[in-house]
Amino acid sequence: MADQLDILFITADQWRGECLSARGHPMVKTPNLDALAAEGVLFRKHFANAVPCGPSRASLHTGMYLQNHRSGTNGTPLDARHTNWAKEAARIGYDPVLFGYTDTSQDPREEDPESPWLMTYEGPLPGIRPVCMMGTWPTPWTNWLTEQGYEVPDDIRFAYGIRAPGTEYEDGGAHPRPLIYPQEANDTSYLTDRLMDYIAETKGRFVAHLSLLRPHPPFVASEPWNAMYDPEEVPGFTRKEKPDAEAAQHPWLEHQLGRKLFRAPANEKKLRRMKAVYYGLMSEVDAALGRVFAFLKETGRWDNTLIVFTSDHGEQMGDHWLLGKCGYFDASYHIPLIVRDPRKAADGARGSVVDRFTENVDIMPTMLDLIGAEIPVQCDGASLRPFLEAREPATWRREAHWEFDFRDPADDSAEKRLGLTLHQCTMNIIRDEKYKYVHFTKLPPLFFDLEKDPDEFVNRATDPDYLPLVLEYAQKLLSWRMNHDEQTLTHIALTDDGPVTRRAARY
């Protein structure tokens, strides 16, 4: 029965969409995720709906676009009136549990003024039960390390990145310096071990969210993963020759490249070392997940467990001279999605690849649909069930959409540099097979011809030959936003016979 499924919902933080060997990546090896895709469905054009972590995960966990949930930055509270997949699963008897973090900024109106959750943006998703909560402060892991006899730094936040002694690669070392902790004791192994401990002790159904930090920075990997990929052999970087030439594309990009934290290092060897370790962290996550998948098979859980693997966002990794996740480039938003549905109804789709545009707002509706829970009206996404059953949905989106809110309530530097107010520090993006349109609240727009310029170097927004298309896509974006305005009660009418409801498709 659908409502008897277990769910393992996995996020690996900051994972670029092309970085799977199942996608034909020239270097990254992910044999266990490849095997998962062979038994499930690989979604090739899957996108996050926001960056950075907090806003993106708010969309992932509520099924809502940023324009509706409004948790636009790390630290912007998520309105408590919105439900999420954990609350909805709990309504039908599940006990949703967390291994890792959800980066949920709590609604201060719902918290005691002395609540510790008002001192951090890394709170737990309401409705989820943290079994092993990690994040910036990895207390369970560092406590365990101490018990095992390992040294931990006084400020445990630095445990993720302590390198072993030696010479770093760009200074003449043979390989990138490894994490001081061995692979069996690092944060990835620790979290996956705790997950397996929990599943082994759980007799009934489970809905577990495994939220791994890696391959998120710091780019430091345990042996042997630190040396798995040769920095000299990693693919090059999609960028113009000089940062200043890149910055000339748009005032926002000039601003972003002027921020030291987000500008790629000029030292080519250092950047290549970072990229090689980024890949190594991915392969390590893949190996850890392989252990989890083998455990599910050994314990008889495999044939009853829905597995969802995705990320919260991508990583620029030197492309366009940027680091991290930001702006409008695909590298920050294109992410992997693999869904392995154990039901017999999904047998016909096993090993298939979906080329339709899918988004993180589709994850919550999919999980709820497959366990027999109602999909709330608030969800802007739609269930992926038709694709999992080798069926073509009656209607589906033809574009991907995402948003970036680059305001900083604690720092007005962007506003001053760009001549904006706090509420004007926003951009919206719509992207289809051929074109991408970027709309800023109060800055010039961008328009890219992705067939001629897949790397997004040439802004066509003021090119006379493209002006009709710019207008068309500006109208598409406006219609998209109008179609997805928050709709929680809009399908209800109070009549002489009482409340009448009528649900409608989004597309």
Side-chain angles (χ1 to χ4, degrees), residues 158 248 326:
F158 293 105
C326 57

Side-chain angles (χ1 to χ4, degrees), residues 44-58:
R44 197 169 68 88
K45 295 175 182 173
H46 187 70
F47 287 83
N49 299 111
V51 299
C53 303
S56 180
R57 290 171 189 269

Side-chain angles (χ1 to χ4, degrees), residues 212-427:
L212 299 168
L213 175 69
R214 308 303 186 167
H216 187 287
F219 297 123
V220 187
S222 297
E223 292 180 328
W225 311 104
N226 66 304
M228 183 171 183
Y229 300 106
D230 183 349
E232 289 302 312
E233 299 298 323
V234 300
F237 304 96
T238 301
R239 63 188 187 189
K240 292 190 174 181
E241 185 176 350
K242 300 290 184 183
D244 288 350
E246 199 80 55
Q249 183 180 95
H250 193 271
W252 175 85
L253 186 53
E254 181 182 23
H255 159 71
Q256 193 72 358
L257 287 169
R259 305 171 71 192
K260 185 176 180 181
L261 181 64
F262 296 98
R263 182 163 164 168
N267 185 324
E268 181 83 2
K269 292 196 73 172
K270 180 177 180 179
L271 188 56
R272 284 184 166 274
R273 182 258 295 173
M274 294 167 69
K275 194 169 193 176
V277 176
Y278 180 59
Y279 291 168
L281 290 168
M282 290 175 174
S283 288
E284 181 183 11
V285 166
D286 179 83
L289 294 180
R291 291 196 301 119
V292 174
F293 300 157
F295 170 80
L296 290 173
K297 293 172 183 176
E298 292 164 4
T299 56
R301 293 274 200 174
W302 181 255
D303 291 333
N304 203 48
T305 302
L306 173 71
I307 300 175
V308 178
F309 171 81
T310 191
S311 184
D312 53 349
H313 49 69
E315 160 64 54
Q316 287 296 133
M317 191 45 69
D319 288 351
H320 299 278
W321 290 96
L322 291 168
L323 288 179
K325 55 278 184 184
C326 57
Y328 45 86
F329 294 116
D330 278 14
S332 284
Y333 298 87
H334 181 218
I335 54 176
L337 175 63
I338 299 170
V339 181
R340 191 258 180 189
D341 181 348
R343 298 173 305 123
K344 291 292 185 185
D347 285 352
R350 302 202 186 284
S352 63
V353 176
V354 171
D355 277 326
R356 304 295 290 272
F357 286 104
T358 57
E359 301 174 346
N360 266 354
V361 291
D362 300 327
I363 302 299
M364 174 176 168
T366 302
M367 294 194 300
L368 295 182
D369 187 10
L370 293 178
I371 61 173
E374 184 175 354
I375 300 171
V377 175
Q378 77 173 34
C379 289
D380 290 307
S383 173
L384 300 170
R385 184 173 189 157
F387 299 115
L388 302 177
E389 296 177 351
R391 296 185 288 111
E392 185 68 17
T395 59
W396 198 258
R397 68 175 70 87
R398 297 177 181 271
E399 306 92 2
H401 169 259
W402 62 83
E403 303 165 74
F404 180 42
D405 188 328
F406 54 96
R407 79 184 76 196
D408 185 343
D411 182 357
D412 64 358
S413 59
E415 299 153 48
K416 289 179 177 178
R417 290 187 190 123
L418 295 170
L420 305 175
T421 68
L422 183 71
H423 299 303
Q424 291 169 347
C425 294
T426 54
M427 66 179 82

Side-chain angles (χ1 to χ4, degrees), residues 37-287:
E39 292 196 32
V41 178
L42 173 65
F43 293 84
R44 197 169 68 88
K45 295 175 182 173
H46 187 70
F47 287 83
N49 299 111
V51 299
C53 303
S56 180
R57 290 171 189 269
S59 290
L60 182 66
H61 294 306
T62 66
M64 303 175 77
Y65 289 137
L66 189 156
Q67 73 182 66
N68 290 326
H69 66 64
R70 303 306 300 145
S71 182
T73 70
N74 284 345
T76 307
L78 179 61
D79 196 318
R81 69 189 173 92
H82 302 315
T83 189
N84 57 61
W85 65 266
K87 286 185 174 181
E88 297 306 310
R91 290 184 198 278
I92 62 169
Y94 285 92
D95 175 27
V97 294
L98 172 64
F99 296 82
Y101 55 98
T102 61
D103 281 347
T104 307
S105 300
Q106 305 298 304
D107 188 335
R109 300 168 299 181
E110 302 293 314
E111 295 288 326
D112 185 282
E114 303 301 317
S115 170
W117 297 128
L118 298 185
M119 305 295 290
T120 177
Y121 75 86
E122 291 190 313
L125 184 71
I128 205 165
R129 181 168 65 87
V131 174
C132 185
M133 190 164 176
M134 300 268 279
T136 300
W137 294 92
T139 307
W141 174 49
T142 53
N143 286 348
W144 178 85
L145 284 173
T146 301
E147 292 169 1
Q148 302 303 309
Y150 294 101
E151 291 188 14
V152 299
D154 292 336
D155 188 335
I156 62 173
R157 292 175 295 180
F158 293 105
Y160 291 118
I162 301 177
R163 291 168 168 81
T167 303
E168 190 51 274
Y169 173 77
E170 58 266 29
D171 298 321
H175 305 290
R177 288 164 61 195
L179 188 70
I180 198 169
Y181 306 118
Q183 63 172 329
E184 64 270 16
N186 66 23
D187 52 295
T188 298
S189 292
Y190 177 78
L191 267 182
T192 51
D193 286 347
R194 299 294 79 75
L195 169 71
M196 290 186 285
D197 290 343
Y198 165 80
I199 294 174
E201 296 169 0
T202 301
K203 303 304 180 186
R205 300 175 301 179
F206 71 84
V207 177
H209 180 30
L210 175 63
S211 178
L212 299 168
L213 175 69
R214 308 303 186 167
H216 187 287
F219 297 123
V220 187
S222 297
E223 292 180 328
W225 311 104
N226 66 304
M228 183 171 183
Y229 300 106
D230 183 349
E232 289 302 312
E233 299 298 323
V234 300
F237 304 96
T238 301
R239 63 188 187 189
K240 292 190 174 181
E241 185 176 350
K242 300 290 184 183
D244 288 350
E246 199 80 55
Q249 183 180 95
H250 193 271
W252 175 85
L253 186 53
E254 181 182 23
H255 159 71
Q256 193 72 358
L257 287 169
R259 305 171 71 192
K260 185 176 180 181
L261 181 64
F262 296 98
R263 182 163 164 168
N267 185 324
E268 181 83 2
K269 292 196 73 172
K270 180 177 180 179
L271 188 56
R272 284 184 166 274
R273 182 258 295 173
M274 294 167 69
K275 194 169 193 176
V277 176
Y278 180 59
Y279 291 168
L281 290 168
M282 290 175 174
S283 288
E284 181 183 11
V285 166
D286 179 83

